[in-house]
Short mmCIF file of all heavy atoms in Angstrom, two decimals:
data_model
loop_
_atom_site.label_atom_id
_atom_site.label_comp_id
_atom_site.label_asym_id
_atom_site.label_seq_id
_atom_site.Cartn_x
_atom_site.Cartn_y
_atom_site.Cartn_z
N CYS A 53 95.48 102.96 97.72
CA CYS A 53 94.58 103.78 98.54
C CYS A 53 93.85 102.89 99.57
O CYS A 53 93.30 101.80 99.15
CB CYS A 53 93.57 104.46 97.63
SG CYS A 53 92.38 105.50 98.51
N HIS A 55 90.91 103.19 100.80
CA HIS A 55 89.54 103.18 100.62
C HIS A 55 89.16 102.00 99.81
O HIS A 55 88.53 101.05 100.35
CB HIS A 55 89.06 104.52 99.98
CG HIS A 55 87.58 104.58 99.80
ND1 HIS A 55 87.00 105.19 98.75
CD2 HIS A 55 86.56 104.10 100.60
CE1 HIS A 55 85.67 105.10 98.83
NE2 HIS A 55 85.44 104.46 100.00
N GLN A 56 89.46 101.99 98.51
CA GLN A 56 89.00 100.83 97.65
C GLN A 56 90.15 100.34 96.83
O GLN A 56 90.00 99.87 95.71
CB GLN A 56 87.80 101.19 96.90
CG GLN A 56 86.54 101.31 97.72
CD GLN A 56 85.27 101.51 96.94
OE1 GLN A 56 85.31 101.65 95.68
NE2 GLN A 56 84.17 101.56 97.62
N TRP A 57 91.38 100.66 97.27
CA TRP A 57 92.54 99.90 96.76
C TRP A 57 93.06 100.41 95.40
O TRP A 57 93.82 99.76 94.72
CB TRP A 57 92.27 98.41 96.66
CG TRP A 57 93.41 97.54 97.10
CD1 TRP A 57 94.02 96.60 96.38
CD2 TRP A 57 94.11 97.56 98.37
NE1 TRP A 57 95.07 95.99 97.11
CE2 TRP A 57 95.06 96.58 98.36
CE3 TRP A 57 94.00 98.33 99.53
CZ2 TRP A 57 95.99 96.26 99.43
CZ3 TRP A 57 94.83 98.04 100.59
CH2 TRP A 57 95.79 97.04 100.53
N SER A 58 92.60 101.59 95.01
CA SER A 58 93.20 102.13 93.75
C SER A 58 94.68 102.31 93.80
O SER A 58 95.23 102.67 94.88
CB SER A 58 92.51 103.52 93.43
OG SER A 58 91.19 103.42 93.09
N LEU A 60 97.79 104.31 93.38
CA LEU A 60 98.03 105.80 93.33
C LEU A 60 99.01 106.32 92.26
O LEU A 60 99.05 107.46 91.93
CB LEU A 60 98.46 106.31 94.75
CG LEU A 60 97.30 106.16 95.78
CD1 LEU A 60 97.86 106.37 97.21
CD2 LEU A 60 96.09 107.06 95.47
N CYS A 73 93.69 110.83 95.60
CA CYS A 73 93.25 109.69 94.89
C CYS A 73 92.01 110.16 94.11
O CYS A 73 90.97 110.47 94.68
CB CYS A 73 92.91 108.48 95.87
SG CYS A 73 92.22 107.06 95.03
N THR A 75 89.88 108.42 92.50
CA THR A 75 88.70 107.55 92.48
C THR A 75 87.57 108.09 93.35
O THR A 75 86.40 108.20 92.82
CB THR A 75 89.09 106.20 92.97
OG1 THR A 75 90.30 105.71 92.31
CG2 THR A 75 87.93 105.17 92.72
N HIS A 76 87.83 108.57 94.55
CA HIS A 76 86.77 109.10 95.42
C HIS A 76 87.32 110.38 96.15
O HIS A 76 86.71 110.77 97.13
CB HIS A 76 86.17 108.13 96.37
CG HIS A 76 85.75 106.82 95.77
ND1 HIS A 76 86.52 105.79 95.74
CD2 HIS A 76 84.63 106.59 95.05
CE1 HIS A 76 85.89 104.78 95.11
NE2 HIS A 76 84.72 105.21 94.67
N LEU A 77 88.47 110.83 95.77
CA LEU A 77 88.98 112.12 96.27
C LEU A 77 89.45 112.03 97.72
O LEU A 77 89.63 113.14 98.30
CB LEU A 77 88.02 113.24 96.06
CG LEU A 77 87.65 113.48 94.58
CD1 LEU A 77 86.66 114.65 94.40
CD2 LEU A 77 88.81 113.61 93.66
N TRP A 78 89.85 110.93 98.25
CA TRP A 78 90.61 110.91 99.51
C TRP A 78 91.97 111.58 99.11
O TRP A 78 92.44 111.48 98.07
CB TRP A 78 90.80 109.51 100.03
CG TRP A 78 89.59 108.94 100.69
CD1 TRP A 78 88.27 109.26 100.43
CD2 TRP A 78 89.55 107.86 101.56
NE1 TRP A 78 87.47 108.46 101.21
CE2 TRP A 78 88.23 107.57 101.86
CE3 TRP A 78 90.54 107.03 102.16
CZ2 TRP A 78 87.85 106.60 102.76
CZ3 TRP A 78 90.22 106.07 102.97
CH2 TRP A 78 88.84 105.83 103.37
S1 FES B 207 89.71 104.25 96.20
FE1 FES B 207 90.95 106.03 96.69
S2 FES B 207 89.47 107.42 97.39
FE2 FES B 207 88.26 105.58 96.99
#
Side-chain angles (χ1 to χ4, degrees):
C53 178
H55 182 215
Q56 289 185 358
W57 222 237
S58 292
L60 294 168
C73 177
T75 309
H76 308 98
L77 304 180
W78 285 20

